[in-house]
Amino acid sequence: MASHRVEQEPAWVIHRRPYRETSLLLDLFSLNHGRISAVAKGARRLNQPWQSQLEPFLPLQLAWLGRTGLKTLTGADPGPPSARLRGNRLYCGLYLNELIQRLLPEGEPFPAIFAGYMNALNALAQDDSLEIPLRRFEWCLVAELGYGFSLDTLADSGATVVAGGLYCLDPEQGISQLAGRGCRLRNLPGEDLLAMAAGDLSQVPVRRSAKRIMRVLVDHLLQGAPLHSRQLFQ
Amino acid sequence: MSLSPLLDDLVDALRCLPGVGQKSAQRMAFHLLERGRDGAGILADTLARSLVEIGRCDSCQTFTEAPVCAICRDERRDSSLLCVVESPADLVAIEQSGDFHGHYFVLLGHLSPIDGIGPADIGIPRLLKRVTDNGVQELILATNPTVEGEATAHYIADRLLVQGVSITRLANGLPVGGDLGGADGSTLSHAFRGRRPLSG
C-alpha cells in the first residue's frame, strides 16, 4: 500500500486546471507512484511560486499527503534546470502528455516509462529530430504496457525477418509473413524492421515505417478513441 | 432533513457557481430568502435577461447584447492592431490598463488536447479569417504565459506567418514594484531572455 506521506518524489506535471478561486488540480506523473491526481491549494495566489513551478515539462521534486484518490500537494521544488520546449516541440510534448494521461492506469509505477519520458523531453529540447524521441517513447510505452513484440522475429513461424522481404503487422501478435485476420499494416519492408530492432532510426524510410507502426499500436491501445494533440500537427 | 424541495433545488442551483460547495450554497440561499429578497428578485431578473440577451460578438467573440460589441464598433480604435486574449476577463484587464487602442479577439479558452479542446473549439478558424479579411497589420498574441497559452499562440502564428502580418507576443518578466530576490526561477529566466537595451 502506498505510504500516507510522500517526500522528495521526482515528478512531472502532465496537466493542470484551475480549481476553486486560488487552487490548481494537477495530473502528475511520478517515478515511484505513477500517474496521480493532486490538489495544489492556493497555487494561483499572487506571488505564490507554485503558479510558475507547477507547469508541464519542468522537472520537479514533489511532496504530498494522501493514500488514495486526490492527494494534497505539500511541497514543490524545482528539479535540475531544463530547456523549455518551444513551437512544434511544445506540440510534441503535449502529445506525450496526452499519451500518458490516456494510457497509464492511475497509481501504478512505471519507472521505465518515466525514464523514457525524461529522455524524450530532453531530446525534444535539443535541436535533434522531432520524430526519433517520439518513436522511442511510443515504443517504450507500448512495451511497458505489455504490448511489445520482437521486430526481427516473425510471430507466426519464429523465422527471422530478412532485408528485402515484406511483412504484416497485427498489433496483438506482432510481425508476420502472412496477413491474418488481425492484420492492420501490410508491405512493411524487412530492412526497416531490422533497423528499428537495432534502434537505428537515422534513415528517413525507417522513420516513416516506424511512424506507421507506432500509429497502429497507439491507436490499438486507445481502442479507437481520438488523440486530440494530433490536430496540432495538421 | 429536507425543509422544502424548492429550497433544496435553490441550493443545488447555486452550486453551479465556481468555488461554491454545499455549505456556501446553503448560506447564500438562506441569505437571499431571509434578508435579501429584493436583491434576489433583481438577481433572478437580471440573470434571466442576461441569458436571453447576452451573446457573443460576431466580430471578436466577447460577451455583448448587440450583434457587434462596443469596442468593435468604435471607429476611433486602430483596426490594424488586433490583440488575441483567452477570455473576456483578460480583455477587461487590458482595457483597464488603458494602453491599448486596437481591437480584440477573444478565444474561448486555449488549446488543451487532454481536455479535448482543439483549434475549432476556441474559434481559431474565425480569427484567421478575420485577420485575412480585415487588413490587420499587427497581431498581438496575449494568451497566458502557460504551456497551453504558448502552444495556442504558436499555433496561430504558424498559420499566419506566410501572410506578412507582424506577430508579437506580450513580454514576460518581473512584476512592477516587486523585488528580484522574491521572483521565481522561471520568471527570472524569462526576464533575462527578454532583456532590452536601456534607453533614455
Side-chain angles (χ1 to χ4, degrees):
Chain A
M1 182 183 271
S3 64
H4 193 60
R5 176 188 291 273
V6 174
E7 301 276 358
Q8 291 292 306
E9 170 74 2
W12 302 86
V13 172
I14 296 300
H15 188 53
R16 61 180 227 176
R17 56 182 75 89
Y19 178 63
R20 301 208 158 169
E21 286 302 299
T22 58
S23 303
L24 285 172
L25 266 186
L26 304 169
D27 293 311
L28 303 165
F29 182 36
S30 65
L31 175 61
N32 299 302
H33 301 265
R35 196 166 69 74
I36 61 153
S37 300
V39 58
K41 288 183 181 162
R44 285 158 60 224
R45 286 212 178 93
L46 215 60
N47 295 332
Q48 162 62 271
W50 278 8
Q51 171 115 288
S52 61
Q53 279 171 5
L54 297 172
E55 273 267 273
F57 317 129
L58 296 177
L60 295 165
Q61 299 273 335
L62 299 180
W64 65 76
L65 279 173
R67 211 181 293 275
T68 54
L70 191 68
K71 315 289 190 290
T72 302
L73 203 73
T74 54
D77 292 317
S82 63
R84 282 196 92 107
L85 301 182
R86 294 174 185 287
N88 286 344
R89 286 156 201 274
L90 203 50
Y91 304 163
C92 296
L94 291 173
Y95 170 71
L96 299 184
N97 283 6
E98 195 179 4
L99 286 181
I100 287 177
Q101 182 75 4
R102 304 278 291 280
L103 293 176
L104 296 194
E106 215 169 325
E108 216 177 296
F110 287 98
I113 297 179
F114 189 88
Y117 179 71
M118 201 160 66
N119 291 339
L121 288 184
N122 285 336
L124 285 172
Q126 317 291 324
D127 282 335
D128 302 340
S129 142
L130 290 183
E131 285 187 62
I132 296 175
L134 294 185
R135 297 298 90 82
R136 289 200 201 291
F137 179 74
E138 288 162 340
W139 185 238
C140 165
L141 195 67
V142 167
E144 289 297 315
L145 288 173
Y147 286 81
F149 49 81
S150 169
L151 287 160
D152 54 9
T153 312
L154 299 184
D156 45 0
S157 63
T160 308
V161 167
V162 292
L166 290 174
Y167 299 92
C168 300
L169 170 71
D170 174 344
E172 288 282 339
Q173 306 293 329
I175 305 294
S176 61
Q177 184 89 58
L178 300 170
R181 284 179 61 196
C183 170
R184 291 286 174 277
L185 271 184
R186 289 159 201 264
N187 299 328
L188 286 169
E191 57 274 24
D192 293 354
L193 293 172
L194 291 172
M196 281 176 70
D200 177 10
L201 296 176
S202 58
Q203 303 299 313
V204 175
V206 179
R207 291 209 290 273
R208 206 175 296 135
S209 291
K211 188 173 182 176
R212 289 172 67 203
I213 292 173
M214 293 309 161
R215 185 171 263 253
V216 166
L217 296 177
V218 166
D219 286 348
H220 181 68
L221 289 179
L222 287 166
Q223 298 177 329
L227 266 183
H228 296 281
S229 45
R230 282 189 185 143
Q231 285 183 42
L232 301 178
F233 296 96
Q234 285 162 9
Chain B
M1 191 191 78
S2 170
L3 294 172
S4 119
L6 194 53
L7 184 62
D8 292 345
D9 289 349
L10 177 60
V11 171
D12 278 349
L14 286 165
R15 288 185 62 184
C16 77
L17 291 166
V20 175
Q22 176 71 20
K23 267 220 143 97
S24 307
Q26 204 172 57
R27 192 167 45 80
M28 289 178 189
F30 285 147
H31 174 83
L32 291 172
L33 294 171
E34 277 172 35
R35 283 190 293 276
R37 288 200 173 230
D38 291 347
I42 296 169
L43 176 66
D45 182 45
T46 315
L47 192 60
R49 275 202 304 126
S50 300
L51 286 175
V52 174
E53 293 174 26
I54 298 180
R56 294 267 180 189
C57 170
D58 286 344
S59 175
C60 74
Q61 302 200 133
T62 197
F63 294 128
T64 176
E65 292 102 290
V68 176
C69 73
I71 293 178
C72 290
R73 283 199 311 267
D74 187 346
E75 289 179 359
R76 288 166 303 174
R77 298 187 80 108
D78 185 350
S79 64
S80 69
L81 289 176
L82 187 66
C83 179
V84 180
V85 292
E86 288 187 17
S87 71
D90 298 340
L91 184 156
V92 170
I94 296 177
E95 276 300 284
Q96 280 171 351
S97 79
D99 269 346
F100 180 67
H101 302 289
H103 286 272
Y104 293 93
F105 190 90
V106 182
L107 296 171
L108 310 170
H110 51 227
L111 293 175
S112 179
I114 286 182
D115 295 319
I117 300 172
D121 301 311
I122 57 172
I124 289 183
R126 250 174 105 175
L127 166 65
L128 301 180
K129 188 168 182 313
R130 174 157 176 196
V131 171
T132 322
D133 293 354
N134 293 20
V136 171
Q137 281 166 21
E138 184 181 349
L139 187 72
I140 302 157
L141 296 171
T143 51
N144 288 332
T146 58
V147 160
E148 287 89 355
E150 292 292 339
T152 307
H154 184 78
Y155 184 88
I156 295 167
D158 242 7
R159 268 135 202 89
L160 289 169
L161 279 179
V162 285
Q163 301 195 16
V165 181
S166 158
I167 298 169
T168 54
R169 182 99 176 93
L170 290 191
N172 303 134
L174 299 165
V176 175
D179 81 83
L180 206 72
D184 63 277
S186 180
T187 303
L188 261 180
S189 77
H190 268 113
F192 259 94
R193 274 204 301 273
R195 68 187 185 277
R196 55 187 170 73
L198 188 63
S199 53

